[in-house]
Amino acid sequence: MIERTLSLVKPDGVEQNCIGEVIRRFEAKGLRVVALKLIRIEQKQAEAFYAVHRERPFYRSLTAFLSSGPVVAMVIEGEGAIPLVRQIMGATDPAKAEPGTIRRDLATGIERNVVHGSDGTETAATEIAFFFNALEIIR
Ligand code: UDP
Ligand code: MG
């Protein structure tokens, strides 16, 4: 099934000049970028984006991190895009991520893990709409 998913290059990834490397890895697996922008995410927006983690001990630090610098937001489209992007990203903790994944290769910690990808159909729809309107998704 052709799916769309929301991916972010987080502030650490942008700071490390890894925007191109993240996109290259998606494209190399046949995925397409159908929307893309460089943005700053305000603290309040970061709190809304990660609201599902509101009760977790890392919530404050995570939302401060996400709003600490520029972020690339993009919509990625392709066959099985939601699980495929998650596979290319690797596990949340880079120490547990498979070799050859973005997080294993580029991340510096469990929080500073370079990339975000939606974890399911409903979250993908919600997260895409969080950053993009219909006219910004180009196919
Ligand atoms: N995170 C963290 N500590 C943890 C778990 C997660 O700082 O113990 C951060 C990390 O940046 C992660 C984000 O919170 O990417 C969202 O967590 P989630 O469990 O949704 O991981 P993901 O879906 O990004 O793999
Ligand atoms: Mg998640």
Side-chain angles (χ1 to χ4, degrees):
M1 192 187 20
I2 302 290
E3 295 176 330
R4 285 177 176 173
T5 189
L6 186 280
S7 180
L8 302 175
V9 181
K10 295 182 182 180
D12 59 326
V14 174
E15 175 61 27
Q16 292 179 80
N17 276 351
C18 290
I19 298 170
E21 179 61 17
V22 170
I23 295 173
R24 187 192 68 74
R25 288 175 186 231
F26 292 159
E27 291 182 330
K29 294 288 187 187
L31 295 165
R32 300 190 71 87
V33 176
V34 296
L36 180 147
K37 56 189 169 191
L38 181 72
I39 55 171
R40 290 283 304 225
I41 301 178
E42 300 294 329
Q43 175 71 28
K44 286 277 176 260
Q45 293 175 289
E47 289 169 7
F49 181 73
Y50 275 130
V52 65
H53 294 309
R54 168 179 346 104
E55 306 299 336
R56 309 285 289 278
F58 56 82
Y59 180 65
R60 278 193 72 81
S61 175
L62 171 62
T63 55
F65 162 57
L66 194 67
S67 60
S68 68
V71 164
V72 170
M74 53 195 157
V75 180
I76 302 296
E77 183 180 274
E79 185 63 36
I82 297 169
L84 182 52
V85 162
R86 299 282 303 185
Q87 186 186 316
I88 297 165
M89 286 163 47
T92 309
D93 181 352
K96 295 178 182 154
E98 293 292 324
T101 61
I102 292 170
R103 284 165 164 175
R104 175 67 169 263
D105 294 348
L106 305 173
T108 56
I110 193 168
E111 180 177 87
R112 300 172 65 86
N113 59 7
V114 178
V115 70
H116 169 85
S118 307
D119 65 5
T121 312
E122 280 178 30
T123 33
T126 307
E127 291 178 357
I128 288 168
F130 191 91
F131 291 106
F132 296 96
N133 67 46
L135 292 176
E136 294 174 314
I137 302 171
I138 315 296
R139 189 64 184 89

